[in-house]
Coordinates of all heavy atoms in Angstrom, one line a residue:
E267 N -20.5 3.6 -5.3 CA -19.8 2.5 -5.9 C -18.4 2.9 -6.5 O -17.4 2.2 -6.3 CB -20.6 1.9 -7.1 CG -21.8 1.1 -6.7 CD -22.6 0.6 -7.9 OE1 -22.1 0.6 -9.0 OE2 -23.7 0.0 -7.6
L268 N -18.4 4.1 -7.1 CA -17.1 4.5 -7.7 C -16.1 4.8 -6.5 O -14.9 4.5 -6.6 CB -17.3 5.8 -8.5 CG -16.1 6.4 -9.1 CD1 -15.3 5.4 -10.0 CD2 -16.4 7.7 -9.9
A269 N -16.5 5.5 -5.5 CA -15.6 5.8 -4.4 C -15.1 4.6 -3.7 O -13.8 4.5 -3.5 CB -16.3 6.7 -3.3
G270 N -15.9 3.6 -3.5 CA -15.4 2.3 -2.9 C -14.4 1.6 -3.8 O -13.4 1.1 -3.3
A271 N -14.7 1.6 -5.1 CA -13.8 0.9 -6.0 C -12.5 1.6 -6.1 O -11.4 1.0 -6.1 CB -14.5 0.9 -7.4
V272 N -12.5 3.0 -6.2 CA -11.2 3.7 -6.2 C -10.4 3.5 -5.0 O -9.2 3.4 -5.0 CB -11.6 5.2 -6.4 CG1 -10.3 6.1 -6.3 CG2 -12.1 5.5 -7.8
E273 N -11.1 3.6 -3.8 CA -10.3 3.4 -2.5 C -9.7 2.0 -2.5 O -8.5 1.9 -2.1 CB -11.3 3.5 -1.4 CG -11.7 4.9 -1.0 CD -12.5 5.0 0.2 OE1 -13.3 4.1 0.5 OE2 -12.4 6.0 0.9
R274 N -10.4 1.0 -3.0 CA -9.8 -0.4 -2.9 C -8.7 -0.6 -3.9 O -7.6 -1.1 -3.6 CB -10.9 -1.4 -3.1 CG -11.9 -1.5 -1.9 CD -12.9 -2.6 -2.1 NE -13.8 -2.4 -3.2 CZ -15.0 -1.7 -3.1 NH1 -15.3 -1.3 -1.9 NH2 -15.8 -1.6 -4.1
V275 N -8.9 -0.1 -5.1 CA -7.9 -0.3 -6.2 C -6.7 0.5 -5.9 O -5.5 0.1 -6.2 CB -8.5 0.1 -7.6 CG1 -7.4 0.1 -8.6 CG2 -9.6 -1.0 -7.9
A276 N -6.8 1.7 -5.3 CA -5.7 2.5 -5.0 C -4.7 1.9 -4.0 O -3.6 2.3 -3.9 CB -6.2 3.9 -4.4
L277 N -5.2 0.9 -3.3 CA -4.3 0.2 -2.3 C -3.2 -0.5 -3.1 O -2.1 -0.8 -2.5 CB -5.1 -0.8 -1.5 CG -6.2 -0.3 -0.6 CD1 -7.0 -1.4 0.0 CD2 -5.6 0.5 0.5
F278 N -3.4 -0.8 -4.4 CA -2.4 -1.5 -5.2 C -1.5 -0.6 -6.0 O -0.7 -1.1 -6.8 CB -3.1 -2.5 -6.1 CG -3.8 -3.6 -5.3 CD1 -5.1 -3.4 -4.8 CD2 -3.1 -4.8 -5.0 CE1 -5.7 -4.4 -4.1 CE2 -3.7 -5.8 -4.3 CZ -5.0 -5.6 -3.8
S279 N -1.6 0.7 -5.7 CA -0.8 1.7 -6.4 C 0.4 2.0 -5.5 O 0.6 1.5 -4.4 CB -1.6 3.0 -6.7 OG -0.8 3.9 -7.4
T280 N 1.2 2.9 -6.0 CA 2.4 3.4 -5.3 C 2.0 4.0 -4.0 O 1.0 4.8 -3.9 CB 3.2 4.4 -6.1 OG1 3.5 3.8 -7.4 CG2 4.5 4.8 -5.4
D281 N 2.7 3.7 -2.9 CA 2.4 4.3 -1.6 C 2.6 5.9 -1.6 O 3.3 6.4 -2.5 CB 3.3 3.8 -0.5 CG 3.0 2.3 -0.2 OD1 1.8 1.9 -0.5 OD2 3.8 1.6 0.3
G282 N 2.0 6.6 -0.7 CA 2.1 8.0 -0.6 C 0.9 8.7 -1.2 O -0.1 8.1 -1.5
D283 N 1.0 10.1 -1.3 CA -0.1 10.9 -1.7 C -0.4 10.8 -3.2 O -1.5 11.1 -3.6 CB 0.2 12.4 -1.4 CG 0.3 12.6 0.1 OD1 -0.4 11.8 0.9 OD2 0.9 13.5 0.6
Y284 N 0.6 10.3 -3.9 CA 0.4 10.3 -5.4 C 0.1 8.9 -5.8 O 1.0 8.2 -6.4 CB 1.7 10.9 -6.1 CG 1.3 11.6 -7.4 CD1 0.7 12.8 -7.4 CD2 1.6 11.0 -8.6 CE1 0.4 13.5 -8.6 CE2 1.3 11.6 -9.8 CZ 0.7 12.9 -9.8 OH 0.3 13.5 -10.9
S285 N -1.1 8.5 -5.6 CA -1.5 7.1 -5.9 C -2.3 7.1 -7.2 O -3.4 7.7 -7.3 CB -2.4 6.6 -4.7 OG -3.0 5.4 -5.1
I286 N -1.7 6.5 -8.2 CA -2.3 6.6 -9.6 C -3.2 5.4 -9.8 O -2.9 4.2 -9.6 CB -1.2 6.6 -10.7 CG1 -0.3 7.7 -10.4 CG2 -1.9 6.7 -12.1 CD1 -0.9 9.1 -10.4
I287 N -4.4 5.7 -10.4 CA -5.4 4.7 -10.8 C -5.7 4.9 -12.3 O -5.7 6.1 -12.8 CB -6.7 4.7 -10.0 CG1 -7.4 6.1 -10.1 CG2 -6.4 4.3 -8.5 CD1 -8.8 6.1 -9.6
K288 N -6.0 3.8 -13.0 CA -6.4 4.0 -14.4 C -7.9 3.6 -14.6 O -8.4 2.8 -13.9 CB -5.5 3.0 -15.2 CG -4.1 3.2 -15.2 CD -3.3 2.1 -15.9 CE -1.8 2.2 -15.8 NZ -1.1 1.2 -16.5
M289 N -8.5 4.4 -15.4 CA -9.9 4.2 -15.7 C -10.1 4.0 -17.2 O -9.5 4.7 -18.0 CB -10.8 5.4 -15.2 CG -10.9 5.5 -13.8 SD -12.1 6.8 -13.4 CE -12.0 6.9 -11.6
S290 N -11.0 3.0 -17.5 CA -11.4 2.8 -18.9 C -12.9 2.8 -19.0 O -13.6 2.1 -18.3 CB -10.9 1.4 -19.4 OG -9.5 1.4 -19.4
V291 N -13.4 3.7 -19.9 CA -14.8 3.8 -20.1 C -15.2 3.2 -21.4 O -14.6 3.5 -22.5 CB -15.3 5.3 -20.1 CG1 -16.8 5.4 -20.3 CG2 -14.9 6.0 -18.8
D292 N -16.1 2.2 -21.4 CA -16.4 1.5 -22.6 C -17.7 0.8 -22.5 O -17.9 -0.1 -21.7 CB -15.3 0.5 -23.0 CG -15.5 -0.1 -24.4 OD1 -16.2 0.5 -25.3 OD2 -15.0 -1.2 -24.6
N293 N -18.7 1.1 -23.3 CA -19.9 0.4 -23.5 C -20.6 0.1 -22.2 O -20.9 -1.1 -21.9 CB -19.6 -0.9 -24.3 CG -20.9 -1.6 -24.8 OD1 -21.8 -0.8 -25.1 ND2 -20.8 -2.9 -25.0
G294 N -20.9 1.1 -21.4 CA -21.6 0.9 -20.2 C -20.9 0.3 -19.0 O -21.5 -0.1 -18.0
E295 N -19.5 0.3 -19.1 CA -18.7 -0.2 -18.0 C -17.6 0.7 -17.7 O -17.0 1.3 -18.7 CB -18.2 -1.6 -18.3 CG -19.3 -2.7 -18.2 CD -18.7 -4.1 -18.3 OE1 -17.5 -4.2 -18.9 OE2 -19.3 -5.0 -17.8
L296 N -17.3 0.9 -16.4 CA -16.1 1.7 -16.0 C -15.1 0.7 -15.3 O -15.5 0.2 -14.2 CB -16.5 2.8 -15.1 CG -15.4 3.8 -14.6 CD1 -14.8 4.5 -15.7 CD2 -16.0 4.8 -13.6
T297 N -14.0 0.5 -15.9 CA -13.0 -0.4 -15.3 C -11.9 0.4 -14.7 O -11.3 1.3 -15.3 CB -12.4 -1.3 -16.4 OG1 -13.4 -2.0 -17.1 CG2 -11.4 -2.3 -15.8
I298 N -11.6 0.1 -13.4 CA -10.6 0.8 -12.6 C -9.5 -0.2 -12.3 O -9.8 -1.3 -11.7 CB -11.2 1.3 -11.3 CG1 -12.4 2.2 -11.7 CG2 -10.2 2.2 -10.5 CD1 -13.4 2.4 -10.6
T299 N -8.3 0.2 -12.6 CA -7.1 -0.7 -12.3 C -6.0 0.0 -11.7 O -5.9 1.3 -11.9 CB -6.7 -1.4 -13.6 OG1 -6.3 -0.4 -14.6 CG2 -7.8 -2.3 -14.2
S300 N -5.1 -0.7 -11.1 CA -3.9 -0.1 -10.5 C -2.9 -1.3 -10.3 O -3.3 -2.4 -10.1 CB -4.1 0.6 -9.3 OG -3.0 1.3 -8.8
S301 N -1.6 -1.0 -10.3 CA -0.7 -2.0 -10.0 C 0.6 -1.4 -9.4 O 0.9 -0.3 -9.6 CB -0.3 -2.8 -11.3 OG 0.3 -2.0 -12.2
S302 N 1.3 -2.3 -8.7 CA 2.6 -1.9 -8.1 C 3.5 -3.1 -8.0 O 3.0 -4.2 -7.6 CB 2.4 -1.3 -6.8 OG 3.6 -1.1 -6.1
P303 N 4.8 -3.0 -8.4 CA 5.6 -4.2 -8.3 C 5.8 -4.7 -6.9 O 6.2 -5.8 -6.7 CB 7.0 -3.7 -9.0 CG 6.9 -2.2 -8.9 CD 5.4 -1.9 -9.0
D304 N 5.6 -3.8 -5.9 CA 5.8 -4.2 -4.5 C 4.6 -4.7 -3.8 O 4.6 -5.3 -2.8 CB 6.3 -3.0 -3.7 CG 7.6 -2.4 -4.2 OD1 8.5 -3.2 -4.7 OD2 7.8 -1.2 -4.3
V305 N 3.4 -4.5 -4.5 CA 2.1 -4.9 -3.8 C 1.4 -5.9 -4.7 O 1.0 -7.0 -4.2 CB 1.2 -3.6 -3.6 CG1 -0.1 -4.0 -2.9 CG2 2.0 -2.6 -2.8
G306 N 1.1 -5.6 -6.0 CA 0.3 -6.5 -6.8 C -0.5 -5.7 -7.7 O -0.2 -4.5 -8.1
T307 N -1.7 -6.2 -8.1 CA -2.6 -5.6 -9.0 C -4.0 -5.6 -8.4 O -4.4 -6.5 -7.7 CB -2.6 -6.2 -10.4 OG1 -3.1 -7.6 -10.3 CG2 -1.2 -6.2 -11.0
G308 N -4.8 -4.5 -8.8 CA -6.2 -4.4 -8.4 C -7.0 -4.1 -9.6 O -6.6 -3.3 -10.5
R309 N -8.2 -4.6 -9.7 CA -9.1 -4.4 -10.9 C -10.6 -4.5 -10.4 O -10.9 -5.5 -9.8 CB -8.8 -5.3 -12.0 CG -9.6 -5.1 -13.3 CD -9.2 -6.0 -14.3 NE -10.0 -5.8 -15.6 CZ -11.1 -6.4 -15.9 NH1 -11.7 -7.2 -15.0 NH2 -11.7 -6.1 -17.0
E310 N -11.3 -3.5 -10.7 CA -12.8 -3.5 -10.4 C -13.5 -3.0 -11.7 O -13.1 -2.1 -12.3 CB -13.1 -2.7 -9.2 CG -12.7 -3.4 -7.9 CD -13.5 -2.9 -6.7 OE1 -14.7 -2.6 -6.9 OE2 -12.9 -2.9 -5.6
V311 N -14.7 -3.5 -11.9 CA -15.6 -3.1 -13.0 C -16.9 -2.7 -12.4 O -17.5 -3.5 -11.6 CB -15.8 -4.2 -14.0 CG1 -16.7 -3.7 -15.1 CG2 -14.4 -4.6 -14.6
I312 N -17.4 -1.5 -12.7 CA -18.7 -1.0 -12.2 C -19.5 -0.6 -13.4 O -18.9 -0.1 -14.4 CB -18.6 0.1 -11.1 CG1 -17.9 1.3 -11.7 CG2 -17.9 -0.5 -9.9 CD1 -17.8 2.4 -10.7
S313 N -20.8 -0.7 -13.3 CA -21.6 -0.2 -14.4 C -21.8 1.3 -14.5 O -21.7 1.9 -13.4 CB -23.0 -0.9 -14.3 OG -23.6 -0.5 -13.1

């Protein structure tokens, strides 16, 4: 689940090898987000 979420959300980060994703851990949930002014935003929540 984590690998799939990271792969999908990373599509919305900066192109190239240095693709940054953000993770937030809180109360039984892991939220993964990324954004780029040229692409858009991605967000997924997994337990």
Side-chain angles (χ1 to χ4, degrees):
E267 288 183 8
L268 179 57
V272 170
E273 283 184 328
R274 291 186 291 271
V275 172
L277 295 173
F278 294 85
S279 182
T280 307
D281 291 337
D283 293 334
Y284 212 72
S285 173
I286 304 302
I287 57 165
K288 300 175 182 178
M289 288 187 184
S290 296
V291 182
D292 186 27
N293 197 27
E295 286 187 340
L296 182 61
T297 304
I298 305 157
T299 60
S300 186
S301 64
S302 167
D304 300 324
V305 183
T307 61
R309 180 178 184 272
E310 289 203 29
V311 180
I312 60 176
S313 61

